Amino acid sequence: MAQDLKLPRQKIDLIAPPYVHAHEQATKQGPQIVEFRLVVEEKEIVIDDRGTKLRAMSFNGSIPAPLMVVHEGDYVEVTLVNSDTNSMLHNVDFHAATGASGGGDLTLVNPGEEAVLRWKATRTGVFIYHCIPGGPVVPWHIASGMSGAVMVLPRTGLKDPAGRPLRYDRIYYIGEQDFYVPRDTKGKFKSYASHAEAFPDTLETMTKLVPSHVVFNGRVGALTGKNAMPAKVGETVLIVHSQADRDTRPHLVGGHGDYVWETGSFQNPPQVDVETWFIRGGSAGAALYKFRQPGVVAYVNHSMIEAFELGATAHFKVEGAWNDDLMAQMKAPAPIMPRTNSP
Amino acid sequence: MQHRWNILLLASAIAAPMTMLAFVLGPSSRSLASPVPVPDLVELAPGTFRYRVSGEFTRDGKPVSAPIVTIAIRHTLAVMRHQVTAADYERCVAARACSISDIDAASSDHPVVKVSWWDASAYAAWLSLETGVPFRLPKDEEWAYMAGSRFNDDALPERAYASGPVQRALMAYERHASREEIDDQTAQPIGTFGMNENGIIDMAGNVWEWTDTCFTRNVIDERGEIATTSVNCGARVVEGRHRTYVTDFIRDARAGGCSIGTPASNLGFRLVRGEKPSLPRLFLEHVRRFFGLG
């Protein structure tokens, strides 16, 4: 059992994305048992500016669930709590873990129950975790918000392809989520009195594979406007991006991925100078970027239909001095001048 | 081909003055069965006021804020007390004079939304015919005059322009982000946003209103005067909690009104009573427009 390991323990309070709990980017300490607590919440949430309601399910109340950061060789000890106010069976499958459906088989908890799972972080990278309670309700739980991510850092930190250390000044965790809200005969989104009532229509909508919303962090506009992610010119930002269900293709508008771990594994050297990267459904990836220009920098799923029509847009609000060498407006938009032949 | 055009031209030349007669002679006979009532209008006395010109401005090739000018409203301005409702619009659709919009419910107490400038213009033409009272979309300066204290001059301070395009964009972004937004952006029943000092309902609520003013780019010379103006009537000024410019065929500006910043939540409209022009002038105008001279 965990006690037999005789390792130091650390208890971490998870925080809601896009923010990430404090952590060491590289560590001189030996392996630890890192304790986390995930509490399942079934609740109704609003997912856009039109008041569209969703019977959501979540870990710790946020969509996506919080990012957990540990180091290679650490033991992750998760207490999964299913409050008695909930109505369904839940569990958790960690893609970073090995065996028993990533822990799903060992963590099935009814309302009013809790379970503790310990797994060893043997592989470095970013990995998703999600609920997988069995049967047709599995995709429903995921499509209702029950996924998050774990980041297992190499003990010596991140490295570029030549093995030189990479560091970040800020980290943001973006969880992309497709929702399938059923519509009535007039095309208006429906709302339901309970999760059970929402299930049949939602399942039917889901199986058509046409999402009604594709959003970052649980709702349209969760990471724009007042909630835009702050950064400064010269700062390096690590962006962790997960999608538990569908494929996605993050892109920084007017920026790049300096270093991208597209499949999420830190064991593979990162790709450099990437335009748009690909996050496979059911995985997480990470991109490191140093902001070089100030401005409102959009971070989108570059299916622009999903970004602009369905919601998959985030903004970084970057302060700092403009670099005229990198870009300058030589002429503001004005009427077309007649072209003259050079003498 | 030539022959067909001639017939069209002839038909049009005959039909148009007939419809114009309606303005002069009063309601059309069709409306006698179930007349379309003249909407409740608020009359504003003529006056002058300071107005932030719409459009974009440059000086020495650099963007500057739009000038503020004095505008004189020379005649009584009669405007619909409330926005055109879904039920009002539905009547025009039923008469096949307006295209079917994505109306959630033809409700008498909700403003019509998801209408383009073309839809609004078609409604104005239909309502004018049905009531015998000429109606049109307001000019932007008229909207500002009607809005009074509800008009939001969201021009950035002069220093914003000195600090470069990106700082300006950031400043505009902050401003929109910090403004208290209405959480539910769906159109609300008429009256939800109250009455302004002119007795007009729901000015600058969460349904933006089309104006007839075209988007312009202007060059300001050394003396601070507008030297040149290029007009783009493919985009019109839309007014509400902030001013924006929307392409005329767009019915829903949420995603496309502006790439960054707060777009208009909903597109609707209200009309003003137009001038009752003389028959010869109407005819001349029609001919001018027909040949694309207008």
PDB file of all heavy atoms in Angstrom, chain A residues 49-50 224-226 228 294-296 308-309 315 317-318 320 322 332-333 335, chain B residues 58 61 166-167 170 173-174 177 183-186 217 230 254-255 260 265-266:
ATOM      1  N   ASP A  49     -23.461  32.948 -24.720  1.00  0.00           N
ATOM      2  CA  ASP A  49     -24.047  34.239 -24.361  1.00  0.00           C
ATOM      3  C   ASP A  49     -25.528  34.292 -24.677  1.00  0.00           C
ATOM      4  O   ASP A  49     -26.159  35.342 -24.560  1.00  0.00           O
ATOM      5  CB  ASP A  49     -23.327  35.363 -25.105  1.00  0.00           C
ATOM      6  CG  ASP A  49     -21.869  35.435 -24.703  1.00  0.00           C
ATOM      7  OD1 ASP A  49     -21.579  35.082 -23.542  1.00  0.00           O
ATOM      8  OD2 ASP A  49     -21.040  35.813 -25.542  1.00  0.00           O
ATOM      9  N   ARG A  50     -26.064  33.180 -25.152  1.00  0.00           N
ATOM     10  CA  ARG A  50     -27.487  33.145 -25.498  1.00  0.00           C
ATOM     11  C   ARG A  50     -28.284  32.413 -24.430  1.00  0.00           C
ATOM     12  O   ARG A  50     -29.435  32.068 -24.640  1.00  0.00           O
ATOM     13  CB  ARG A  50     -27.681  32.445 -26.844  1.00  0.00           C
ATOM     14  CG  ARG A  50     -26.865  33.080 -27.954  1.00  0.00           C
ATOM     15  CD  ARG A  50     -27.763  33.833 -28.898  1.00  0.00           C
ATOM     16  NE  ARG A  50     -27.159  35.090 -29.271  1.00  0.00           N
ATOM     17  CZ  ARG A  50     -27.691  35.965 -30.118  1.00  0.00           C
ATOM     18  NH1 ARG A  50     -28.823  35.701 -30.682  1.00  0.00           N
ATOM     19  NH2 ARG A  50     -27.096  37.081 -30.389  1.00  0.00           N
ATOM     20  N   THR A 224     -11.956  34.920 -23.194  1.00  0.00           N
ATOM     21  CA  THR A 224     -11.840  36.167 -23.958  1.00  0.00           C
ATOM     22  C   THR A 224     -12.392  37.306 -23.107  1.00  0.00           C
ATOM     23  O   THR A 224     -12.993  37.074 -22.058  1.00  0.00           O
ATOM     24  CB  THR A 224     -12.626  36.099 -25.286  1.00  0.00           C
ATOM     25  OG1 THR A 224     -14.009  35.893 -24.991  1.00  0.00           O
ATOM     26  CG2 THR A 224     -12.140  34.975 -26.186  1.00  0.00           C
ATOM     27  N   GLY A 225     -12.166  38.525 -23.586  1.00  0.00           N
ATOM     28  CA  GLY A 225     -12.692  39.699 -22.876  1.00  0.00           C
ATOM     29  C   GLY A 225     -12.093  39.801 -21.489  1.00  0.00           C
ATOM     30  O   GLY A 225     -10.883  39.767 -21.315  1.00  0.00           O
ATOM     31  N   LYS A 226     -12.970  39.889 -20.495  1.00  0.00           N
ATOM     32  CA  LYS A 226     -12.523  39.991 -19.105  1.00  0.00           C
ATOM     33  C   LYS A 226     -11.652  38.801 -18.711  1.00  0.00           C
ATOM     34  O   LYS A 226     -10.830  38.888 -17.813  1.00  0.00           O
ATOM     35  CB  LYS A 226     -13.742  40.029 -18.178  1.00  0.00           C
ATOM     36  CG  LYS A 226     -14.146  41.425 -17.767  1.00  0.00           C
ATOM     37  CD  LYS A 226     -15.333  41.365 -16.828  1.00  0.00           C
ATOM     38  CE  LYS A 226     -16.582  41.788 -17.559  1.00  0.00           C
ATOM     39  NZ  LYS A 226     -17.771  41.964 -16.757  1.00  0.00           N
ATOM     40  N   ALA A 228      -9.589  37.115 -20.736  1.00  0.00           N
ATOM     41  CA  ALA A 228      -8.432  36.899 -21.615  1.00  0.00           C
ATOM     42  C   ALA A 228      -7.205  36.624 -20.751  1.00  0.00           C
ATOM     43  O   ALA A 228      -7.077  37.146 -19.645  1.00  0.00           O
ATOM     44  CB  ALA A 228      -8.215  38.124 -22.492  1.00  0.00           C
ATOM     45  N   PRO A 294       3.255  42.869 -28.667  1.00  0.00           N
ATOM     46  CA  PRO A 294       2.074  43.066 -27.818  1.00  0.00           C
ATOM     47  C   PRO A 294       0.798  42.959 -28.652  1.00  0.00           C
ATOM     48  O   PRO A 294       0.857  42.921 -29.882  1.00  0.00           O
ATOM     49  CB  PRO A 294       2.256  44.508 -27.325  1.00  0.00           C
ATOM     50  CG  PRO A 294       2.998  45.182 -28.451  1.00  0.00           C
ATOM     51  CD  PRO A 294       3.902  44.127 -29.059  1.00  0.00           C
ATOM     52  N   GLY A 295      -0.317  42.928 -27.979  1.00  0.00           N
ATOM     53  CA  GLY A 295      -1.600  42.940 -28.680  1.00  0.00           C
ATOM     54  C   GLY A 295      -2.550  41.897 -28.137  1.00  0.00           C
ATOM     55  O   GLY A 295      -2.241  41.181 -27.186  1.00  0.00           O
ATOM     56  N   VAL A 296      -3.699  41.849 -28.763  1.00  0.00           N
ATOM     57  CA  VAL A 296      -4.658  40.795 -28.447  1.00  0.00           C
ATOM     58  C   VAL A 296      -4.355  39.649 -29.402  1.00  0.00           C
ATOM     59  O   VAL A 296      -4.516  39.779 -30.607  1.00  0.00           O
ATOM     60  CB  VAL A 296      -6.111  41.291 -28.619  1.00  0.00           C
ATOM     61  CG1 VAL A 296      -7.086  40.163 -28.304  1.00  0.00           C
ATOM     62  CG2 VAL A 296      -6.367  42.486 -27.724  1.00  0.00           C
ATOM     63  N   PHE A 308     -14.996  30.472 -34.720  1.00  0.00           N
ATOM     64  CA  PHE A 308     -15.832  31.667 -34.760  1.00  0.00           C
ATOM     65  C   PHE A 308     -17.313  31.363 -34.605  1.00  0.00           C
ATOM     66  O   PHE A 308     -18.046  32.150 -34.025  1.00  0.00           O
ATOM     67  CB  PHE A 308     -15.583  32.451 -36.055  1.00  0.00           C
ATOM     68  CG  PHE A 308     -14.286  33.215 -36.012  1.00  0.00           C
ATOM     69  CD1 PHE A 308     -13.085  32.588 -36.295  1.00  0.00           C
ATOM     70  CD2 PHE A 308     -14.276  34.543 -35.619  1.00  0.00           C
ATOM     71  CE1 PHE A 308     -11.891  33.291 -36.213  1.00  0.00           C
ATOM     72  CE2 PHE A 308     -13.087  35.246 -35.536  1.00  0.00           C
ATOM     73  CZ  PHE A 308     -11.889  34.619 -35.840  1.00  0.00           C
ATOM     74  N   GLU A 309     -17.745  30.253 -35.136  1.00  0.00           N
ATOM     75  CA  GLU A 309     -19.182  29.964 -35.069  1.00  0.00           C
ATOM     76  C   GLU A 309     -19.544  29.137 -33.834  1.00  0.00           C
ATOM     77  O   GLU A 309     -20.630  29.266 -33.292  1.00  0.00           O
ATOM     78  CB  GLU A 309     -19.641  29.214 -36.328  1.00  0.00           C
ATOM     79  CG  GLU A 309     -19.447  30.007 -37.620  1.00  0.00           C
ATOM     80  CD  GLU A 309     -20.310  31.261 -37.692  1.00  0.00           C
ATOM     81  OE1 GLU A 309     -21.420  31.241 -37.150  1.00  0.00           O
ATOM     82  OE2 GLU A 309     -19.849  32.262 -38.276  1.00  0.00           O
ATOM     83  N   HIS A 315      -8.206  34.348 -26.059  1.00  0.00           N
ATOM     84  CA  HIS A 315      -7.352  35.506 -26.334  1.00  0.00           C
ATOM     85  C   HIS A 315      -6.259  35.613 -25.273  1.00  0.00           C
ATOM     86  O   HIS A 315      -6.518  35.445 -24.083  1.00  0.00           O
ATOM     87  CB  HIS A 315      -8.158  36.807 -26.304  1.00  0.00           C
ATOM     88  CG  HIS A 315      -9.099  36.971 -27.456  1.00  0.00           C
ATOM     89  ND1 HIS A 315     -10.209  37.763 -27.407  1.00  0.00           N
ATOM     90  CD2 HIS A 315      -9.076  36.444 -28.710  1.00  0.00           C
ATOM     91  CE1 HIS A 315     -10.848  37.730 -28.576  1.00  0.00           C
ATOM     92  NE2 HIS A 315     -10.179  36.917 -29.378  1.00  0.00           N
ATOM     93  N   LYS A 317      -3.824  38.539 -23.799  1.00  0.00           N
ATOM     94  CA  LYS A 317      -3.709  39.994 -23.787  1.00  0.00           C
ATOM     95  C   LYS A 317      -2.256  40.288 -23.454  1.00  0.00           C
ATOM     96  O   LYS A 317      -1.837  40.159 -22.315  1.00  0.00           O
ATOM     97  CB  LYS A 317      -4.653  40.534 -22.705  1.00  0.00           C
ATOM     98  CG  LYS A 317      -5.220  41.870 -22.990  1.00  0.00           C
ATOM     99  CD  LYS A 317      -6.349  42.188 -22.022  1.00  0.00           C
ATOM    100  CE  LYS A 317      -5.941  41.964 -20.565  1.00  0.00           C
ATOM    101  NZ  LYS A 317      -7.060  42.071 -19.639  1.00  0.00           N
ATOM    102  N   VAL A 318      -1.498  40.657 -24.479  1.00  0.00           N
ATOM    103  CA  VAL A 318      -0.044  40.744 -24.316  1.00  0.00           C
ATOM    104  C   VAL A 318       0.383  42.206 -24.240  1.00  0.00           C
ATOM    105  O   VAL A 318       0.165  42.974 -25.181  1.00  0.00           O
ATOM    106  CB  VAL A 318       0.680  40.038 -25.485  1.00  0.00           C
ATOM    107  CG1 VAL A 318       2.180  39.986 -25.227  1.00  0.00           C
ATOM    108  CG2 VAL A 318       0.116  38.638 -25.701  1.00  0.00           C
ATOM    109  N   GLY A 320       3.386  45.187 -23.737  1.00  0.00           N
ATOM    110  CA  GLY A 320       4.808  45.363 -24.028  1.00  0.00           C
ATOM    111  C   GLY A 320       5.010  46.261 -25.219  1.00  0.00           C
ATOM    112  O   GLY A 320       4.063  46.851 -25.737  1.00  0.00           O
ATOM    113  N   TRP A 322       6.019  47.316 -29.048  1.00  0.00           N
ATOM    114  CA  TRP A 322       5.903  46.798 -30.401  1.00  0.00           C
ATOM    115  C   TRP A 322       7.278  46.758 -31.066  1.00  0.00           C
ATOM    116  O   TRP A 322       8.089  47.662 -30.900  1.00  0.00           O
ATOM    117  CB  TRP A 322       4.947  47.688 -31.197  1.00  0.00           C
ATOM    118  CG  TRP A 322       4.761  47.279 -32.624  1.00  0.00           C
ATOM    119  CD1 TRP A 322       5.333  47.844 -33.723  1.00  0.00           C
ATOM    120  CD2 TRP A 322       3.946  46.197 -33.098  1.00  0.00           C
ATOM    121  NE1 TRP A 322       4.912  47.188 -34.854  1.00  0.00           N
ATOM    122  CE2 TRP A 322       4.059  46.174 -34.507  1.00  0.00           C
ATOM    123  CE3 TRP A 322       3.133  45.255 -32.470  1.00  0.00           C
ATOM    124  CZ2 TRP A 322       3.392  45.243 -35.294  1.00  0.00           C
ATOM    125  CZ3 TRP A 322       2.467  44.330 -33.260  1.00  0.00           C
ATOM    126  CH2 TRP A 322       2.595  44.324 -34.647  1.00  0.00           C
ATOM    127  N   ALA A 332      -1.652  52.973 -43.834  1.00  0.00           N
ATOM    128  CA  ALA A 332      -2.967  52.598 -43.314  1.00  0.00           C
ATOM    129  C   ALA A 332      -3.926  52.449 -44.489  1.00  0.00           C
ATOM    130  O   ALA A 332      -3.736  53.085 -45.524  1.00  0.00           O
ATOM    131  CB  ALA A 332      -3.464  53.674 -42.354  1.00  0.00           C
ATOM    132  N   PRO A 333      -4.930  51.587 -44.361  1.00  0.00           N
ATOM    133  CA  PRO A 333      -5.859  51.404 -45.479  1.00  0.00           C
ATOM    134  C   PRO A 333      -6.387  52.740 -45.997  1.00  0.00           C
ATOM    135  O   PRO A 333      -6.801  53.593 -45.223  1.00  0.00           O
ATOM    136  CB  PRO A 333      -6.980  50.573 -44.865  1.00  0.00           C
ATOM    137  CG  PRO A 333      -6.304  49.805 -43.782  1.00  0.00           C
ATOM    138  CD  PRO A 333      -5.256  50.738 -43.230  1.00  0.00           C
ATOM    139  N   PRO A 335      -7.709  54.744 -50.082  1.00  0.00           N
ATOM    140  CA  PRO A 335      -8.059  54.444 -51.475  1.00  0.00           C
ATOM    141  C   PRO A 335      -6.839  54.054 -52.302  1.00  0.00           C
ATOM    142  O   PRO A 335      -5.723  54.506 -52.045  1.00  0.00           O
ATOM    143  CB  PRO A 335      -8.664  55.753 -51.977  1.00  0.00           C
ATOM    144  CG  PRO A 335      -9.134  56.439 -50.753  1.00  0.00           C
ATOM    145  CD  PRO A 335      -8.188  56.056 -49.658  1.00  0.00           C
TER     146      PRO A 335
ATOM    147  N   THR B  58      -7.701  59.130 -41.091  1.00  0.00           N
ATOM    148  CA  THR B  58      -6.238  59.132 -41.028  1.00  0.00           C
ATOM    149  C   THR B  58      -5.733  60.548 -41.261  1.00  0.00           C
ATOM    150  O   THR B  58      -6.397  61.371 -41.906  1.00  0.00           O
ATOM    151  CB  THR B  58      -5.608  58.207 -42.097  1.00  0.00           C
ATOM    152  OG1 THR B  58      -6.088  58.606 -43.390  1.00  0.00           O
ATOM    153  CG2 THR B  58      -5.928  56.748 -41.860  1.00  0.00           C
ATOM    154  N   GLY B  61      -1.306  59.612 -43.033  1.00  0.00           N
ATOM    155  CA  GLY B  61      -1.235  58.161 -43.173  1.00  0.00           C
ATOM    156  C   GLY B  61      -1.396  57.394 -41.876  1.00  0.00           C
ATOM    157  O   GLY B  61      -1.343  56.174 -41.859  1.00  0.00           O
ATOM    158  N   VAL B 166      -1.358  48.638 -32.213  1.00  0.00           N
ATOM    159  CA  VAL B 166      -1.588  47.512 -31.313  1.00  0.00           C
ATOM    160  C   VAL B 166      -2.023  47.985 -29.936  1.00  0.00           C
ATOM    161  O   VAL B 166      -2.953  47.443 -29.344  1.00  0.00           O
ATOM    162  CB  VAL B 166      -0.328  46.632 -31.239  1.00  0.00           C
ATOM    163  CG1 VAL B 166      -0.448  45.640 -30.117  1.00  0.00           C
ATOM    164  CG2 VAL B 166      -0.136  45.919 -32.564  1.00  0.00           C
ATOM    165  N   GLN B 167      -1.360  49.047 -29.436  1.00  0.00           N
ATOM    166  CA  GLN B 167      -1.763  49.578 -28.131  1.00  0.00           C
ATOM    167  C   GLN B 167      -3.201  50.072 -28.200  1.00  0.00           C
ATOM    168  O   GLN B 167      -3.967  49.924 -27.256  1.00  0.00           O
ATOM    169  CB  GLN B 167      -0.831  50.719 -27.700  1.00  0.00           C
ATOM    170  CG  GLN B 167       0.596  50.270 -27.418  1.00  0.00           C
ATOM    171  CD  GLN B 167       0.682  49.170 -26.372  1.00  0.00           C
ATOM    172  OE1 GLN B 167      -0.193  49.024 -25.526  1.00  0.00           O
ATOM    173  NE2 GLN B 167       1.721  48.359 -26.443  1.00  0.00           N
ATOM    174  N   LEU B 170      -5.440  47.134 -28.010  1.00  0.00           N
ATOM    175  CA  LEU B 170      -5.489  46.638 -26.626  1.00  0.00           C
ATOM    176  C   LEU B 170      -6.404  47.524 -25.777  1.00  0.00           C
ATOM    177  O   LEU B 170      -7.188  47.025 -24.978  1.00  0.00           O
ATOM    178  CB  LEU B 170      -4.088  46.629 -26.014  1.00  0.00           C
ATOM    179  CG  LEU B 170      -3.279  45.349 -26.172  1.00  0.00           C
ATOM    180  CD1 LEU B 170      -1.853  45.559 -25.714  1.00  0.00           C
ATOM    181  CD2 LEU B 170      -3.905  44.192 -25.388  1.00  0.00           C
ATOM    182  N   TYR B 173      -9.917  46.889 -26.599  1.00  0.00           N
ATOM    183  CA  TYR B 173     -10.283  45.571 -26.078  1.00  0.00           C
ATOM    184  C   TYR B 173     -10.600  45.652 -24.591  1.00  0.00           C
ATOM    185  O   TYR B 173     -11.609  45.137 -24.128  1.00  0.00           O
ATOM    186  CB  TYR B 173      -9.122  44.607 -26.326  1.00  0.00           C
ATOM    187  CG  TYR B 173      -9.422  43.167 -26.018  1.00  0.00           C
ATOM    188  CD1 TYR B 173     -10.119  42.385 -26.928  1.00  0.00           C
ATOM    189  CD2 TYR B 173      -9.011  42.587 -24.823  1.00  0.00           C
ATOM    190  CE1 TYR B 173     -10.389  41.057 -26.663  1.00  0.00           C
ATOM    191  CE2 TYR B 173      -9.272  41.260 -24.548  1.00  0.00           C
ATOM    192  CZ  TYR B 173      -9.960  40.491 -25.477  1.00  0.00           C
ATOM    193  OH  TYR B 173     -10.228  39.181 -25.198  1.00  0.00           O
ATOM    194  N   GLU B 174      -9.702  46.343 -23.856  1.00  0.00           N
ATOM    195  CA  GLU B 174      -9.896  46.520 -22.412  1.00  0.00           C
ATOM    196  C   GLU B 174     -11.230  47.211 -22.147  1.00  0.00           C
ATOM    197  O   GLU B 174     -11.968  46.833 -21.251  1.00  0.00           O
ATOM    198  CB  GLU B 174      -8.793  47.406 -21.822  1.00  0.00           C
ATOM    199  CG  GLU B 174      -7.414  46.799 -21.846  1.00  0.00           C
ATOM    200  CD  GLU B 174      -7.200  45.827 -20.726  1.00  0.00           C
ATOM    201  OE1 GLU B 174      -8.072  45.716 -19.862  1.00  0.00           O
ATOM    202  OE2 GLU B 174      -6.138  45.163 -20.734  1.00  0.00           O
ATOM    203  N   ALA B 177     -14.054  44.904 -22.717  1.00  0.00           N
ATOM    204  CA  ALA B 177     -14.051  43.812 -21.742  1.00  0.00           C
ATOM    205  C   ALA B 177     -14.525  44.292 -20.380  1.00  0.00           C
ATOM    206  O   ALA B 177     -15.205  43.577 -19.657  1.00  0.00           O
ATOM    207  CB  ALA B 177     -12.659  43.210 -21.639  1.00  0.00           C
ATOM    208  N   ASP B 183     -25.643  39.700 -19.351  1.00  0.00           N
ATOM    209  CA  ASP B 183     -25.280  38.291 -19.444  1.00  0.00           C
ATOM    210  C   ASP B 183     -26.062  37.563 -20.523  1.00  0.00           C
ATOM    211  O   ASP B 183     -25.511  36.861 -21.335  1.00  0.00           O
ATOM    212  CB  ASP B 183     -25.491  37.597 -18.092  1.00  0.00           C
ATOM    213  CG  ASP B 183     -24.345  37.915 -17.152  1.00  0.00           C
ATOM    214  OD1 ASP B 183     -23.282  38.325 -17.667  1.00  0.00           O
ATOM    215  OD2 ASP B 183     -24.512  37.769 -15.936  1.00  0.00           O
ATOM    216  N   ASP B 184     -27.371  37.771 -20.496  1.00  0.00           N
ATOM    217  CA  ASP B 184     -28.195  37.101 -21.486  1.00  0.00           C
ATOM    218  C   ASP B 184     -28.260  37.986 -22.715  1.00  0.00           C
ATOM    219  O   ASP B 184     -28.831  39.070 -22.680  1.00  0.00           O
ATOM    220  CB  ASP B 184     -29.594  36.849 -20.911  1.00  0.00           C
ATOM    221  CG  ASP B 184     -30.415  35.982 -21.848  1.00  0.00           C
ATOM    222  OD1 ASP B 184     -29.956  35.717 -22.980  1.00  0.00           O
ATOM    223  OD2 ASP B 184     -31.505  35.561 -21.444  1.00  0.00           O
ATOM    224  N   GLN B 185     -27.649  37.552 -23.788  1.00  0.00           N
ATOM    225  CA  GLN B 185     -27.595  38.392 -24.971  1.00  0.00           C
ATOM    226  C   GLN B 185     -28.740  38.126 -25.936  1.00  0.00           C
ATOM    227  O   GLN B 185     -28.753  38.652 -27.034  1.00  0.00           O
ATOM    228  CB  GLN B 185     -26.240  38.214 -25.652  1.00  0.00           C
ATOM    229  CG  GLN B 185     -25.138  38.641 -24.704  1.00  0.00           C
ATOM    230  CD  GLN B 185     -23.859  39.010 -25.412  1.00  0.00           C
ATOM    231  OE1 GLN B 185     -23.776  38.982 -26.625  1.00  0.00           O
ATOM    232  NE2 GLN B 185     -22.848  39.349 -24.646  1.00  0.00           N
ATOM    233  N   THR B 186     -29.694  37.301 -25.535  1.00  0.00           N
ATOM    234  CA  THR B 186     -30.855  37.111 -26.400  1.00  0.00           C
ATOM    235  C   THR B 186     -31.736  38.360 -26.311  1.00  0.00           C
ATOM    236  O   THR B 186     -31.758  39.043 -25.293  1.00  0.00           O
ATOM    237  CB  THR B 186     -31.675  35.875 -25.977  1.00  0.00           C
ATOM    238  OG1 THR B 186     -31.925  35.964 -24.574  1.00  0.00           O
ATOM    239  CG2 THR B 186     -30.923  34.588 -26.252  1.00  0.00           C
ATOM    240  N   ARG B 217     -13.985  56.008 -45.136  1.00  0.00           N
ATOM    241  CA  ARG B 217     -12.595  56.262 -44.730  1.00  0.00           C
ATOM    242  C   ARG B 217     -12.282  57.698 -45.132  1.00  0.00           C
ATOM    243  O   ARG B 217     -12.559  58.089 -46.269  1.00  0.00           O
ATOM    244  CB  ARG B 217     -11.639  55.325 -45.448  1.00  0.00           C
ATOM    245  CG  ARG B 217     -11.610  53.945 -44.850  1.00  0.00           C
ATOM    246  CD  ARG B 217     -10.434  53.188 -45.438  1.00  0.00           C
ATOM    247  NE  ARG B 217     -10.555  51.773 -45.220  1.00  0.00           N
ATOM    248  CZ  ARG B 217     -10.258  51.161 -44.079  1.00  0.00           C
ATOM    249  NH1 ARG B 217      -9.810  51.855 -43.053  1.00  0.00           N
ATOM    250  NH2 ARG B 217     -10.381  49.858 -43.970  1.00  0.00           N
ATOM    251  N   SER B 230     -13.694  58.314 -48.809  1.00  0.00           N
ATOM    252  CA  SER B 230     -14.116  57.228 -49.687  1.00  0.00           C
ATOM    253  C   SER B 230     -15.244  56.478 -49.002  1.00  0.00           C
ATOM    254  O   SER B 230     -15.168  56.159 -47.814  1.00  0.00           O
ATOM    255  CB  SER B 230     -12.952  56.307 -50.055  1.00  0.00           C
ATOM    256  OG  SER B 230     -12.310  55.847 -48.903  1.00  0.00           O
ATOM    257  N   ARG B 254     -22.854  38.535 -34.479  1.00  0.00           N
ATOM    258  CA  ARG B 254     -22.136  38.048 -33.300  1.00  0.00           C
ATOM    259  C   ARG B 254     -20.733  37.576 -33.619  1.00  0.00           C
ATOM    260  O   ARG B 254     -19.779  37.901 -32.943  1.00  0.00           O
ATOM    261  CB  ARG B 254     -22.891  36.877 -32.665  1.00  0.00           C
ATOM    262  CG  ARG B 254     -23.882  37.288 -31.634  1.00  0.00           C
ATOM    263  CD  ARG B 254     -24.543  36.069 -31.075  1.00  0.00           C
ATOM    264  NE  ARG B 254     -25.092  35.249 -32.127  1.00  0.00           N
ATOM    265  CZ  ARG B 254     -25.233  33.931 -32.045  1.00  0.00           C
ATOM    266  NH1 ARG B 254     -24.858  33.300 -30.963  1.00  0.00           N
ATOM    267  NH2 ARG B 254     -25.756  33.254 -33.034  1.00  0.00           N
ATOM    268  N   ALA B 255     -20.621  36.796 -34.686  1.00  0.00           N
ATOM    269  CA  ALA B 255     -19.312  36.222 -34.984  1.00  0.00           C
ATOM    270  C   ALA B 255     -18.533  37.043 -35.995  1.00  0.00           C
ATOM    271  O   ALA B 255     -17.333  36.908 -36.088  1.00  0.00           O
ATOM    272  CB  ALA B 255     -19.494  34.800 -35.503  1.00  0.00           C
ATOM    273  N   ILE B 260     -12.053  41.244 -33.424  1.00  0.00           N
ATOM    274  CA  ILE B 260     -11.704  41.234 -32.004  1.00  0.00           C
ATOM    275  C   ILE B 260     -12.470  42.372 -31.356  1.00  0.00           C
ATOM    276  O   ILE B 260     -12.644  43.417 -31.950  1.00  0.00           O
ATOM    277  CB  ILE B 260     -10.179  41.378 -31.810  1.00  0.00           C
ATOM    278  CG1 ILE B 260      -9.505  40.028 -32.073  1.00  0.00           C
ATOM    279  CG2 ILE B 260      -9.847  41.884 -30.421  1.00  0.00           C
ATOM    280  CD1 ILE B 260      -8.015  40.067 -32.055  1.00  0.00           C
ATOM    281  N   SER B 265     -24.725  42.240 -30.354  1.00  0.00           N
ATOM    282  CA  SER B 265     -25.361  40.994 -29.914  1.00  0.00           C
ATOM    283  C   SER B 265     -26.475  40.579 -30.865  1.00  0.00           C
ATOM    284  O   SER B 265     -26.643  39.410 -31.167  1.00  0.00           O
ATOM    285  CB  SER B 265     -25.954  41.165 -28.522  1.00  0.00           C
ATOM    286  OG  SER B 265     -24.984  41.616 -27.630  1.00  0.00           O
ATOM    287  N   ASN B 266     -27.262  41.543 -31.300  1.00  0.00           N
ATOM    288  CA  ASN B 266     -28.404  41.275 -32.173  1.00  0.00           C
ATOM    289  C   ASN B 266     -28.557  42.437 -33.140  1.00  0.00           C
ATOM    290  O   ASN B 266     -28.234  43.570 -32.794  1.00  0.00           O
ATOM    291  CB  ASN B 266     -29.700  41.177 -31.357  1.00  0.00           C
ATOM    292  CG  ASN B 266     -29.665  40.036 -30.372  1.00  0.00           C
ATOM    293  OD1 ASN B 266     -29.749  38.873 -30.748  1.00  0.00           O
ATOM    294  ND2 ASN B 266     -29.520  40.361 -29.094  1.00  0.00           N
TER     295      ASN B 266
END
